[in-house]
Amino acid sequence: ATGSNDETYTPIIKECLGDLVEDVKTSKNLVDSPVRLVAGEGGLDFNLERILKAQNPDFEGSKKILEINSNHELIKKLPTLTSELQKSLSRVLFEQARILDGEMPSDSQQFSKDLIAIGLKLGRSEEHTSELSHTVISYAVFCLKKKNKQTHSLSHLYKHT
């Protein structure tokens, strides 16, 4: 039953994200989270990339694979949204996966615009999309809080290097 869903969601997200990711795949490992980033084919470990970036600000890490949870309510709503909202939600999910990995959003202005667009456009319409808007914004806040805790807990690693 998930095969048909996989064929629906992954092309939408891949088209919306374009060159931001190496690929979009469905994951059976995700339970609560809608997405996560994993190293691409031959890609470096996230921690190794973080160390290399700390040593060389010009270092460009490899593109990641975005794994999606096809059973998550945010992913399930994608096909029902306008193409504009599909792009906004796909970008927000990608950026939130980056935040959970200890990175900052690649484009913080676009991230902010996307959150506002989702909040405004989904918040006005039907009750279920208002719940979706609340879920997206709550998830964004959760990711940012987790990022803040990671920054504080990892800061001791960089002081000794």
Side-chain angles (χ1 to χ4, degrees), residues 40-75:
E41 192 73 28
L44 297 174
D45 174 70
F46 287 116
N47 290 325
L48 180 57
E49 278 194 7
R50 198 171 289 131
I51 292 167
L52 292 172
K53 284 180 188 176
Q55 293 176 349
N56 178 5
D58 295 330
F59 176 78
E60 286 290 326
S62 59
K63 288 185 182 177
K64 307 293 183 234
I65 294 172
L66 184 71
E67 289 189 345
I68 65 167
N69 175 358
S70 60
N71 293 317
H72 195 279
E73 68 176 287
L74 291 175
I75 302 298

Side-chain angles (χ1 to χ4, degrees), residues 56-146:
N56 178 5
D58 295 330
F59 176 78
E60 286 290 326
S62 59
K63 288 185 182 177
K64 307 293 183 234
I65 294 172
L66 184 71
E67 289 189 345
I68 65 167
N69 175 358
S70 60
N71 293 317
H72 195 279
E73 68 176 287
L74 291 175
I75 302 298
K76 288 180 176 181
K77 294 287 184 194
L78 266 171
T80 66
L81 303 175
T82 65
S83 63
E84 181 184 327
L85 283 178
Q86 285 177 347
K87 287 178 185 171
S88 290
L89 182 56
S90 294
R91 286 190 300 250
V92 164
L93 290 171
F94 168 75
E95 297 296 1
Q96 289 175 336
R98 284 179 49 88
I99 291 167
L100 287 173
D101 284 338
E103 300 290 326
M104 293 302 294
S106 55
D107 184 342
S108 55
Q109 287 185 337
Q110 186 63 53
F111 181 64
S112 178
K113 287 178 187 176
D114 288 335
L115 282 176
I116 291 167
I118 291 167
L120 288 176
K121 293 191 174 131
L122 295 184
R124 276 191 225 151
S125 54
E126 305 166 32
E127 184 179 321
H128 74 278
T129 53
S130 179
E131 289 172 19
L132 176 63
S133 172
H134 177 73
T135 303
V136 169
I137 292 170
S138 296
Y139 184 62
V141 169
F142 164 78
C143 291
L144 291 169
K145 284 181 180 176
K146 184 170 180 171

Side-chain angles (χ1 to χ4, degrees), residues 143-155:
C143 291
L144 291 169
K145 284 181 180 176
K146 184 170 180 171
K147 163 68 175 142
N148 192 30
K149 286 180 185 175
Q150 284 177 339
T151 302
H152 292 301
S153 66
L154 294 176
S155 63

